[in-house]
Coordinates of all heavy atoms in Angstrom, one line a residue:
G174 N 24.3 -41.2 -43.1 CA 23.6 -40.2 -43.9 C 24.5 -39.0 -44.1 O 25.5 -38.8 -43.4
E175 N 24.1 -38.2 -45.1 CA 24.8 -36.9 -45.4 C 23.7 -35.8 -45.5 O 22.6 -36.1 -46.0 CB 25.6 -37.0 -46.7 CG 26.8 -38.0 -46.5 CD 27.5 -38.1 -47.9 OE1 26.9 -38.0 -48.9 OE2 28.7 -38.4 -47.8
T176 N 24.1 -34.6 -45.2 CA 23.1 -33.5 -45.3 C 23.9 -32.2 -45.3 O 25.1 -32.1 -45.2 CB 22.1 -33.6 -44.1 OG1 21.1 -32.6 -44.3 CG2 22.8 -33.3 -42.8
S177 N 23.1 -31.1 -45.3 CA 23.6 -29.7 -45.0 C 22.9 -29.2 -43.8 O 21.6 -29.3 -43.8 CB 23.4 -28.8 -46.3 OG 24.2 -29.3 -47.3
V178 N 23.6 -28.6 -42.9 CA 23.0 -28.1 -41.7 C 23.1 -26.6 -41.6 O 24.2 -26.1 -41.7 CB 23.7 -28.8 -40.4 CG1 23.1 -28.3 -39.1 CG2 23.5 -30.3 -40.5
D179 N 22.0 -26.0 -41.3 CA 22.0 -24.6 -41.1 C 22.3 -24.4 -39.6 O 21.4 -24.6 -38.7 CB 20.6 -24.0 -41.4 CG 20.5 -22.5 -41.1 OD1 21.5 -21.9 -40.6 OD2 19.4 -21.9 -41.3
Q180 N 23.5 -24.0 -39.2 CA 23.9 -23.8 -37.9 C 24.2 -22.4 -37.5 O 25.0 -22.0 -36.7 CB 25.1 -24.7 -37.5 CG 26.3 -24.6 -38.4 CD 27.3 -25.6 -38.0 OE1 27.0 -26.8 -37.6 NE2 28.6 -25.2 -38.0
S181 N 23.5 -21.5 -38.2 CA 23.6 -20.0 -38.0 C 23.3 -19.6 -36.6 O 23.8 -18.7 -36.0 CB 22.8 -19.2 -39.0 OG 21.4 -19.6 -38.9
I182 N 22.3 -20.4 -35.9 CA 22.0 -20.1 -34.6 C 23.2 -20.3 -33.6 O 23.2 -19.6 -32.6 CB 20.9 -21.1 -34.1 CG1 20.4 -20.8 -32.7 CG2 21.3 -22.6 -34.1 CD1 19.2 -21.6 -32.2
M183 N 24.1 -21.1 -34.0 CA 25.3 -21.3 -33.1 C 26.5 -20.5 -33.6 O 27.2 -20.0 -32.8 CB 25.7 -22.8 -33.1 CG 24.6 -23.7 -32.5 SD 24.3 -23.3 -30.8 CE 25.9 -23.6 -30.1
T184 N 26.8 -20.4 -34.9 CA 28.0 -19.8 -35.4 C 27.8 -18.5 -36.2 O 28.7 -17.8 -36.4 CB 28.8 -20.8 -36.3 OG1 28.0 -21.0 -37.5 CG2 29.0 -22.2 -35.6
G185 N 26.5 -18.3 -36.6 CA 26.3 -17.1 -37.4 C 26.7 -17.2 -38.9 O 26.6 -16.3 -39.6
E186 N 27.2 -18.4 -39.3 CA 27.6 -18.6 -40.7 C 26.4 -18.5 -41.6 O 25.3 -19.1 -41.3 CB 28.3 -20.0 -40.8 CG 29.6 -20.1 -40.2 CD 30.2 -21.4 -40.3 OE1 29.8 -22.4 -39.7 OE2 31.2 -21.5 -41.1
S187 N 26.6 -17.8 -42.7 CA 25.5 -17.6 -43.6 C 25.2 -18.8 -44.5 O 24.1 -19.0 -45.0 CB 25.8 -16.4 -44.5 OG 27.0 -16.6 -45.2
L188 N 26.2 -19.7 -44.7 CA 26.1 -20.9 -45.5 C 25.8 -22.1 -44.7 O 26.4 -22.3 -43.7 CB 27.4 -21.1 -46.3 CG 27.8 -20.0 -47.3 CD1 29.1 -20.4 -47.9 CD2 26.8 -19.7 -48.3
P189 N 24.8 -22.9 -45.1 CA 24.7 -24.2 -44.5 C 25.9 -25.0 -44.7 O 26.6 -25.0 -45.7 CB 23.5 -24.9 -45.2 CG 22.7 -23.7 -45.8 CD 23.8 -22.7 -46.1
I190 N 26.3 -25.8 -43.7 CA 27.5 -26.6 -43.7 C 27.2 -28.1 -44.0 O 26.3 -28.7 -43.5 CB 28.2 -26.6 -42.3 CG1 28.4 -25.1 -41.8 CG2 29.5 -27.3 -42.3 CD1 29.3 -24.3 -42.8
D191 N 27.9 -28.6 -45.0 CA 27.7 -30.0 -45.4 C 28.3 -30.9 -44.4 O 29.4 -30.7 -43.9 CB 28.4 -30.2 -46.8 CG 27.8 -29.4 -47.9 OD1 26.6 -29.2 -47.9 OD2 28.5 -29.1 -48.9
K192 N 27.5 -31.9 -44.0 CA 27.9 -32.8 -42.9 C 27.8 -34.2 -43.3 O 26.9 -34.6 -44.1 CB 27.0 -32.6 -41.7 CG 27.1 -31.2 -41.1 CD 28.2 -31.0 -40.1 CE 28.1 -29.6 -39.4 NZ 29.1 -29.5 -38.3
G193 N 28.7 -35.0 -42.9 CA 28.7 -36.5 -43.2 C 29.0 -37.3 -41.9 O 29.1 -36.8 -40.8
K194 N 29.2 -38.6 -42.1 CA 29.4 -39.5 -41.0 C 30.6 -39.1 -40.2 O 31.7 -38.7 -40.8 CB 29.6 -40.9 -41.6 CG 29.7 -42.0 -40.5 CD 29.9 -43.4 -41.2 CE 30.0 -44.4 -40.1 NZ 30.1 -45.8 -40.6
G195 N 30.4 -39.1 -38.9 CA 31.5 -38.8 -38.0 C 31.6 -37.3 -37.6 O 32.4 -36.9 -36.7
E196 N 30.8 -36.5 -38.3 CA 30.8 -35.0 -38.0 C 29.8 -34.6 -36.9 O 28.8 -35.3 -36.8 CB 30.7 -34.2 -39.2 CG 31.8 -34.4 -40.2 CD 31.7 -33.4 -41.4 OE1 31.0 -33.8 -42.4 OE2 32.2 -32.4 -41.3
E197 N 30.1 -33.6 -36.2 CA 29.3 -33.1 -35.1 C 28.1 -32.3 -35.5 O 28.3 -31.5 -36.5 CB 30.1 -32.3 -34.0 CG 31.0 -33.2 -33.1 CD 31.6 -32.3 -32.1 OE1 32.2 -31.3 -32.4 OE2 31.5 -32.6 -30.9
V198 N 27.0 -32.4 -34.9 CA 25.9 -31.4 -35.1 C 25.4 -30.9 -33.7 O 25.7 -31.5 -32.7 CB 24.7 -32.2 -35.8 CG1 25.0 -32.5 -37.2 CG2 24.2 -33.4 -35.0
F199 N 24.8 -29.7 -33.7 CA 24.5 -29.0 -32.5 C 23.0 -28.9 -32.3 O 22.2 -28.8 -33.2 CB 25.1 -27.7 -32.5 CG 26.6 -27.7 -32.6 CD1 27.2 -27.2 -33.8 CD2 27.4 -28.1 -31.6 CE1 28.5 -27.2 -33.9 CE2 28.8 -28.1 -31.7 CZ 29.3 -27.7 -32.9
C200 N 22.6 -28.9 -31.0 CA 21.2 -28.7 -30.6 C 20.6 -27.4 -31.2 O 21.3 -26.4 -31.1 CB 21.1 -28.8 -29.1 SG 19.4 -28.5 -28.5
G201 N 19.4 -27.4 -31.7 CA 18.8 -26.2 -32.2 C 19.1 -25.9 -33.6 O 18.4 -25.0 -34.2
T202 N 20.1 -26.5 -34.2 CA 20.4 -26.2 -35.6 C 19.4 -27.0 -36.5 O 18.7 -27.9 -36.1 CB 21.8 -26.6 -36.0 OG1 22.1 -28.0 -35.7 CG2 22.8 -25.8 -35.1
I203 N 19.3 -26.6 -37.8 CA 18.3 -27.2 -38.7 C 18.9 -28.1 -39.8 O 19.9 -27.7 -40.4 CB 17.6 -26.0 -39.5 CG1 17.1 -25.0 -38.4 CG2 16.4 -26.6 -40.3 CD1 16.1 -25.5 -37.5
N204 N 18.4 -29.3 -39.9 CA 18.8 -30.2 -40.9 C 18.1 -29.8 -42.2 O 16.9 -29.9 -42.3 CB 18.4 -31.6 -40.5 CG 18.7 -32.7 -41.6 OD1 19.6 -32.5 -42.4 ND2 18.0 -33.7 -41.6
C205 N 18.8 -29.4 -43.2 CA 18.2 -28.8 -44.4 C 17.8 -29.8 -45.4 O 16.8 -29.7 -46.1 CB 19.2 -27.8 -45.1 SG 19.7 -26.4 -44.1
F206 N 18.6 -30.9 -45.6 CA 18.3 -31.8 -46.7 C 18.1 -33.3 -46.2 O 17.1 -33.7 -45.6 CB 19.3 -31.7 -47.8 CG 19.4 -30.3 -48.3 CD1 20.5 -29.5 -48.0 CD2 18.3 -29.8 -49.0 CE1 20.5 -28.2 -48.5 CE2 18.3 -28.5 -49.5 CZ 19.4 -27.7 -49.2
G207 N 19.2 -34.1 -46.5 CA 19.0 -35.5 -46.3 C 18.7 -36.0 -44.9 O 19.0 -35.3 -43.9
S208 N 18.1 -37.2 -44.8 CA 17.9 -37.8 -43.5 C 19.2 -38.3 -42.9 O 20.0 -38.9 -43.6 CB 16.9 -38.9 -43.7 OG 16.7 -39.6 -42.4
I209 N 19.4 -38.0 -41.6 CA 20.6 -38.5 -41.0 C 20.3 -39.1 -39.7 O 19.2 -38.9 -39.1 CB 21.6 -37.3 -40.7 CG1 20.9 -36.2 -39.9 CG2 22.2 -36.8 -42.0 CD1 21.9 -35.1 -39.4
D210 N 21.1 -40.1 -39.2 CA 21.0 -40.7 -37.9 C 22.2 -40.2 -37.1 O 23.3 -40.1 -37.6 CB 21.0 -42.2 -38.0 CG 19.8 -42.8 -38.7 OD1 18.8 -42.0 -38.8 OD2 19.9 -43.9 -39.2
I211 N 21.9 -39.8 -35.9 CA 23.0 -39.3 -35.0 C 22.9 -40.0 -33.7 O 21.9 -40.6 -33.3 CB 22.9 -37.8 -34.7 CG1 21.6 -37.5 -33.8 CG2 22.8 -37.0 -36.0 CD1 21.5 -36.0 -33.3
V212 N 24.1 -40.1 -33.0 CA 24.2 -40.6 -31.6 C 24.3 -39.4 -30.7 O 25.1 -38.5 -30.9 CB 25.4 -41.6 -31.4 CG1 26.7 -40.9 -31.8 CG2 25.4 -42.1 -30.0
A213 N 23.4 -39.4 -29.7 CA 23.3 -38.2 -28.8 C 24.6 -38.2 -27.9 O 24.9 -39.2 -27.3 CB 22.1 -38.3 -27.9
T214 N 25.3 -37.1 -27.9 CA 26.5 -36.9 -27.1 C 26.3 -36.0 -25.9 O 26.9 -36.2 -24.8 CB 27.7 -36.5 -27.9 OG1 27.3 -35.2 -28.6 CG2 28.0 -37.5 -29.0
K215 N 25.5 -34.9 -26.1 CA 25.3 -34.0 -25.0 C 23.8 -33.7 -25.0 O 23.2 -33.2 -26.0 CB 26.1 -32.7 -25.2 CG 27.6 -32.8 -25.1 CD 28.3 -31.5 -25.3 CE 29.8 -31.7 -25.3 NZ 30.5 -30.4 -25.5
V216 N 23.1 -33.9 -23.9 CA 21.7 -33.8 -23.8 C 21.3 -32.9 -22.7 O 22.1 -32.6 -21.8 CB 21.0 -35.2 -23.6 CG1 21.4 -36.1 -24.8 CG2 21.5 -35.8 -22.3
G217 N 20.0 -32.5 -22.7 CA 19.5 -31.6 -21.6 C 20.3 -30.4 -21.4 O 20.6 -29.6 -22.3
E218 N 20.6 -30.1 -20.2 CA 21.3 -28.8 -19.8 C 22.7 -28.8 -20.4 O 23.3 -27.7 -20.4 CB 21.4 -28.7 -18.3 CG 20.0 -28.5 -17.6 CD 19.4 -27.2 -18.1 OE1 20.1 -26.2 -18.2 OE2 18.1 -27.2 -18.4
N219 N 23.3 -29.9 -20.8 CA 24.6 -29.9 -21.4 C 24.7 -29.6 -22.9 O 25.8 -29.4 -23.4 CB 25.3 -31.2 -21.1 CG 25.5 -31.5 -19.6 OD1 25.9 -30.6 -18.9 ND2 25.3 -32.7 -19.2
S220 N 23.5 -29.5 -23.5 CA 23.5 -29.2 -24.9 C 24.0 -27.8 -25.3 O 24.0 -26.9 -24.4 CB 22.1 -29.5 -25.5 OG 21.3 -28.5 -25.1
S221 N 24.4 -27.6 -26.5 CA 24.9 -26.3 -26.9 C 23.9 -25.2 -26.7 O 24.2 -24.1 -26.2 CB 25.4 -26.3 -28.4 OG 26.4 -27.3 -28.6
L222 N 22.6 -25.5 -27.1 CA 21.6 -24.4 -27.0 C 21.3 -24.1 -25.6 O 21.1 -22.9 -25.2 CB 20.3 -24.9 -27.7 CG 19.2 -23.9 -27.8 CD1 19.6 -22.6 -28.5 CD2 17.9 -24.5 -28.4
Q223 N 21.2 -25.1 -24.7 CA 21.0 -24.8 -23.3 C 22.1 -24.1 -22.7 O 21.9 -23.2 -21.8 CB 20.7 -26.2 -22.6 CG 19.4 -26.9 -22.9 CD 18.2 -26.0 -22.6 OE1 18.2 -25.2 -21.7 NE2 17.2 -26.1 -23.4
R224 N 23.3 -24.3 -23.1 CA 24.5 -23.5 -22.6 C 24.4 -22.1 -23.0 O 24.7 -21.2 -22.3 CB 25.8 -24.1 -23.1 CG 26.1 -25.5 -22.5 CD 27.6 -25.8 -22.5 NE 28.2 -25.5 -23.9 CZ 28.2 -26.4 -24.8 NH1 27.7 -27.7 -24.6 NH2 28.7 -26.2 -26.0
L225 N 23.9 -21.9 -24.3 CA 23.6 -20.6 -24.8 C 22.6 -19.8 -24.0 O 22.8 -18.7 -23.6 CB 23.2 -20.7 -26.3 CG 23.0 -19.4 -27.1 CD1 24.4 -18.8 -27.4 CD2 22.4 -19.7 -28.4
I226 N 21.5 -20.5 -23.6 CA 20.5 -19.9 -22.8 C 21.1 -19.6 -21.4 O 20.8 -18.5 -20.9 CB 19.3 -20.9 -22.7 CG1 18.6 -21.0 -24.0 CG2 18.3 -20.4 -21.6 CD1 17.5 -22.1 -24.0
R227 N 21.8 -20.5 -20.9 CA 22.4 -20.3 -19.5 C 23.4 -19.1 -19.5 O 23.4 -18.3 -18.6 CB 23.1 -21.5 -19.1 CG 23.5 -21.5 -17.6 CD 23.8 -22.9 -17.1 NE 24.8 -23.6 -17.8 CZ 24.6 -24.7 -18.6 NH1 23.3 -25.1 -18.8 NH2 25.6 -25.3 -19.2
M228 N 24.2 -18.9 -20.6 CA 25.1 -17.8 -20.7 C 24.4 -16.5 -20.7 O 24.8 -15.5 -20.2 CB 26.0 -18.0 -21.9 CG 27.2 -18.9 -21.6 SD 28.4 -18.9 -22.9 CE 27.4 -19.7 -24.2
V229 N 23.3 -16.4 -21.5 CA 22.5 -15.2 -21.5 C 22.0 -14.8 -20.1 O 22.0 -13.7 -19.7 CB 21.3 -15.3 -22.5 CG1 20.4 -14.1 -22.4 CG2 21.8 -15.5 -23.9
K230 N 21.5 -15.8 -19.4 CA 21.0 -15.6 -18.0 C 22.2 -15.0 -17.2 O 22.0 -14.0 -16.4 CB 20.5 -16.9 -17.4 CG 19.2 -17.3 -17.9 CD 18.7 -18.6 -17.2 CE 17.4 -19.1 -17.7 NZ 17.0 -20.3 -17.0
E231 N 23.3 -15.7 -17.2 CA 24.4 -15.3 -16.4 C 25.0 -13.9 -16.7 O 25.2 -13.1 -15.9 CB 25.6 -16.3 -16.5 CG 25.2 -17.7 -15.9 CD 26.3 -18.7 -16.1 OE1 27.2 -18.4 -16.9 OE2 26.1 -19.8 -15.6
A232 N 25.1 -13.7 -18.1 CA 25.6 -12.4 -18.5 C 24.6 -11.2 -18.1 O 25.0 -10.1 -17.7 CB 25.8 -12.4 -20.0
E233 N 23.3 -11.5 -18.2 CA 22.3 -10.5 -17.8 C 22.4 -10.2 -16.3 O 22.3 -9.1 -15.9 CB 20.9 -11.0 -18.1 CG 19.8 -10.0 -17.9 CD 18.5 -10.4 -18.6 OE1 18.6 -10.6 -19.9 OE2 17.5 -10.6 -17.9
N234 N 22.7 -11.2 -15.5 CA 22.9 -11.0 -14.0 C 24.1 -10.1 -13.7 O 24.1 -9.5 -12.7 CB 23.0 -12.3 -13.3 CG 21.6 -13.1 -13.3 OD1 20.6 -12.5 -13.4 ND2 21.7 -14.4 -13.2
K235 N 25.1 -10.1 -14.6 CA 26.3 -9.3 -14.4 C 26.1 -7.8 -14.7 O 26.9 -7.0 -14.3 CB 27.4 -9.8 -15.3 CG 27.9 -11.2 -15.0 CD 29.0 -11.6 -16.0 CE 29.5 -13.1 -15.7 NZ 30.5 -13.5 -16.7
Q236 N 25.0 -7.5 -15.3 CA 24.7 -6.1 -15.7 C 24.2 -5.4 -14.5 O 23.0 -5.3 -14.3 CB 23.7 -6.1 -16.9 CG 24.2 -6.7 -18.1 CD 25.3 -5.8 -18.8 OE1 25.4 -4.7 -18.5 NE2 26.1 -6.5 -19.6
A237 N 25.1 -4.8 -13.7 CA 24.6 -4.0 -12.5 C 24.4 -2.6 -12.9 O 25.2 -2.0 -13.6 CB 25.7 -4.1 -11.4
P238 N 23.3 -2.0 -12.4 CA 23.1 -0.5 -12.8 C 24.2 0.3 -12.3 O 24.7 0.2 -11.2 CB 21.8 -0.2 -12.1 CG 21.1 -1.6 -11.8 CD 22.3 -2.5 -11.7
M239 N 24.6 1.3 -13.1 CA 25.7 2.2 -12.7 C 25.2 3.3 -11.8 O 24.1 3.9 -12.0 CB 26.2 2.9 -14.0 CG 27.5 3.7 -13.7 SD 28.2 4.4 -15.2 CE 26.8 5.4 -15.8
Q240 N 25.9 3.4 -10.6 CA 25.4 4.5 -9.7 C 25.7 5.8 -10.3 O 26.7 6.1 -11.0 CB 26.3 4.3 -8.4 CG 25.9 3.2 -7.5 CD 26.7 3.3 -6.2 OE1 27.9 3.3 -6.2 NE2 25.9 3.4 -5.1
R241 N 24.8 6.7 -9.9 CA 25.0 8.1 -10.4 C 26.1 8.8 -9.6 O 26.3 8.4 -8.4 CB 23.7 8.9 -10.2 CG 22.5 8.5 -11.1 CD 21.3 9.2 -10.8 NE 20.9 9.1 -9.4 CZ 19.9 9.8 -8.9 NH1 19.3 10.7 -9.6 NH2 19.6 9.6 -7.6

Side-chain angles (χ1 to χ4, degrees):
E175 294 177 330
T176 187
S177 294
V178 178
D179 178 0
Q180 54 185 37
S181 57
I182 185 177
M183 294 300 297
T184 66
E186 289 180 287
S187 56
L188 302 176
I190 305 301
D191 295 332
K192 300 274 188 176
K194 185 177 179 179
E196 295 188 270
E197 284 186 308
V198 292
F199 302 108
C200 176
T202 58
I203 308 298
N204 178 27
C205 296
F206 300 110
S208 173
I209 56 173
D210 293 344
I211 68 171
V212 56
T214 56
K215 295 179 181 178
V216 301
E218 292 299 316
N219 293 322
S220 70
S221 299
L222 183 60
Q223 290 300 327
R224 290 202 311 273
L225 188 66
I226 292 170
R227 191 161 58 249
M228 279 188 292
V229 172
K230 287 182 179 178
E231 291 173 355
E233 189 165 298
N234 290 335
K235 293 178 184 177
Q236 296 288 338
M239 186 174 63
Q240 284 185 303
R241 294 178 302 171

